[in-house]
Amino acid sequence: MRVSSIISISALGSTGVLAQSPSPVPNAPVTTGNPAGVSAKAVLPPQAFWTGGSLSGNVQGYVLAMSARNGSGLDYQVSFSNLPTQGGPFIYHVHSAPVPADGNCTSTLAHLDQMGRGETPACDSTQPATCQQGDLSGKYGNITDATSSYRFHDPYTSLREGDGAYIGNRSIVFHFFNKTRITCANFTVFKSNTSTPYPTSSSSGMKTSPTPTAVPVPGAGTVLSVAKNLAVAPLVAAFLALL
């Protein structure tokens, strides 16, 4: 009788455990306090990590992230070209680790995923807060065209150092649709002291504001000539009076 009771209680306990649903993964938080004038850019290298017949050279392009002007989230500009002729649509993500000196894209580890969501189920682009923070293509669209340039705002990544969603010390990885890694690049952080806060090219320097120039006033030469003549006239009249 006692053994039977123990077995029954054990079975009930096991059933209760199995019946419990997993705890829901919390949504990614909106990042705030992103410093004004700070940006991070990852430029893909000349040589691809993956080599194969459907790719000539390497995918060309960059991912540029900029602190939003209100400090909430980041504004992105992405551009890709020279894609492989097979294996698309193509996907890209922020990965949690940087690319090592040997360029091994597998060393970048997994996607930036502060909440521990994982890759399954697939990201629902209509609910980006439920996706991995680093899954940029999942949230804002895969790369389908031979040459693609996009702009979007992502509230869930950060350029504030110390934030778990900080991307400045991480990397971008560009994949085939089957998740094979084609190429990767580290972010480089830029800080601006000028009135033009974001880099506009792949160069490492910041674009500075042009030196202001004087605004020409139409007819200014005529006005000055008249003024000079009026100023000299009394002197001429006084000289003539002495003769």
Side-chain angles (χ1 to χ4, degrees), residues 53-226:
S54 65
L55 177 62
S56 176
N58 190 21
V59 177
Q60 299 170 7
Y62 64 87
V63 174
L64 171 64
M66 304 167 286
S67 293
R69 297 193 183 278
N70 62 0
S72 178
L74 302 181
D75 295 327
Y76 281 83
Q77 297 176 16
V78 301
S79 179
F80 298 109
S81 61
N82 194 44
L83 305 181
T85 57
Q86 299 174 336
F90 303 95
I91 55 181
Y92 64 101
H93 317 102
V94 177
H95 280 237
S96 58
V99 183
D102 63 2
N104 189 338
C105 293
T106 59
S107 297
T108 61
L109 305 181
H111 307 163
L112 173 59
D113 185 13
Q114 186 184 10
M115 302 295 105
R117 175 195 186 278
E119 296 185 31
T120 304
C123 169
D124 180 355
S125 61
T126 66
Q127 301 183 65
T130 66
C131 302
Q132 293 177 304
Q133 290 141 304
D135 189 0
L136 298 182
S137 58
K139 290 185 282 187
Y140 305 109
N142 298 336
I143 305 301
T144 57
D145 299 327
T147 300
S148 302
S149 296
Y150 301 99
R151 293 172 181 260
F152 53 85
H153 175 77
D154 179 62
Y156 314 108
T157 47
S158 175
L159 280 172
R160 181 172 63 84
E161 293 186 46
D163 192 312
Y166 180 69
I167 66 169
N169 56 356
R170 305 185 194 276
S171 59
I172 280 288
V173 179
F174 192 90
H175 305 252
F176 287 107
F177 191 68
N178 68 3
K179 300 182 182 179
T180 300
R181 303 179 187 204
I182 303 173
T183 186
C184 52
N186 288 330
F187 280 104
T188 299
V189 177
F190 299 88
K191 298 181 180 180
S192 173
N193 294 319
T194 71
S195 58
T196 303
Y198 307 129
T200 57
S201 69
S202 59
S203 63
S204 59
M206 300 301 298
K207 182 178 179 182
T208 57
S209 299
T211 303
T213 57
V215 179
V217 179
T222 303
V223 173
L224 289 174
S225 297
V226 172

